[in-house]
């Protein structure tokens, strides 16, 4: 592990801001998010409350929705300085380009978390279903894919920039099909 270091930055020249994705060492997400914020850069660490059972008690704890990931709203020029923060292993890249999350993806994550519904992280390689829009309830207007798990409909929001997906159980009468899937699930 590197020596603890939180650089200070001159942020006056930052332009072309995007949500870059830092990959942290295990259990460093909160420290990294706080260090990014102390540098004057907006950070986003999606957390959800989970109940953990110890031998003598239950406790509510906030856990990262995406373990080892922290989002930083900054310019590509600042990544080298941010990389010096203790706990950041690297910034995610695909094909030689730094991964960025869109504002729409960040708003989708925030929207799902704000509803306090039980969220389950999904493998990105789920079966492609219908593209749907939620037309009723607190998530009205969101678009995503529909999957089924244990016979229940789940609305999936893909976060392409980090190849992750979130799902929430949703009544089918809240959904409208926007684009029908080209592949159909086998009947059972």
């Amino acid at each position: 592990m590197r020596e603890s270091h939180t650089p200070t930055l001159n942020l006056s020249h930052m332009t072309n801001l995007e949500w870059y994705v830092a990959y942290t060492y295990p259990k460093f997400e909160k420290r990294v998010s706080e260090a990014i914020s102390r540098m004057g850069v907006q950070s986003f660490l999606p957390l959800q409350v989970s109940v953990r059972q110890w031998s003598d008690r239950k406790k509510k704890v906030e856990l990262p929705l995406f373990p080892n990931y922290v989002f930083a709203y900054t310019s590509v020029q600042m990544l080298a300085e941010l990389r010096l923060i203790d706990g950041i292993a690297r910034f995610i890249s695909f094909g030689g380009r730094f991964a960025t999350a869109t504002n729409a993806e960040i708003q989708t994550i925030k929207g799902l978390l704000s509803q306090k519904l039980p969220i389950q992280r999904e493998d990105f390689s789920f079966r492609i279903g219908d593209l749907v829009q939620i037309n009723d309830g607190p998530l009205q207007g969101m678009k995503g894919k529909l999957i089924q798990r244990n016979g229940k409909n789940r609305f999936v929001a893909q976060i392409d920039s980090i190849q992750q997906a979130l799902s929430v159980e949703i009544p089918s009468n809240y959904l409208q099909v926007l684009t029908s899937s080209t592949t159909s699930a086998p009947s059972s």
Side-chain angles (χ1 to χ4, degrees), residues 7 11 36 73 80-81 93 98 119 126-127 131 148 169 179:
L11 304 176
I36 290 170
Y73 192 64
E81 286 292 323
S93 64
F98 287 111
I119 295 176
F126 55 82
R127 181 186 296 166
L131 178 64
Q148 280 201 329
E169 192 172 313
T179 306

Side-chain angles (χ1 to χ4, degrees), residues 60-75:
K60 290 183 181 180
V61 294
E62 284 188 322
L63 298 174
L65 187 58
F66 303 108
N68 303 92
Y69 289 100
V70 176
F71 300 91
Y73 192 64
T74 190
S75 68

Side-chain angles (χ1 to χ4, degrees), residues 2 7 25 39 78-91:
R2 293 185 305 243
Y25 294 111
M39 293 173 63
M78 301 308 296
L79 295 183
E81 286 292 323
L82 291 174
R83 174 63 181 84
L84 298 175
I85 293 173
D86 187 39
I88 293 181
R90 60 188 160 82
F91 279 88

Side-chain angles (χ1 to χ4, degrees), residues 48 108 111-113 115-122 132 134 138-139 142 145-149 152-157 165-172 174-175:
Q48 68 177 354
T108 296
L112 288 171
L113 288 172
Q115 298 305 313
K116 307 285 190 233
L117 297 169
I119 295 176
Q120 179 176 327
R121 205 166 39 89
E122 297 288 341
V132 296
I134 300 176
L139 302 176
M142 288 189 178
K145 302 266 183 194
L146 180 67
I147 65 168
Q148 280 201 329
R149 167 138 317 132
K152 296 183 180 183
N153 287 332
R154 294 193 69 85
F155 172 81
V156 177
L166 304 174
S167 73
V168 63
E169 192 172 313
I170 192 114
S172 58
Y174 281 17
L175 302 174

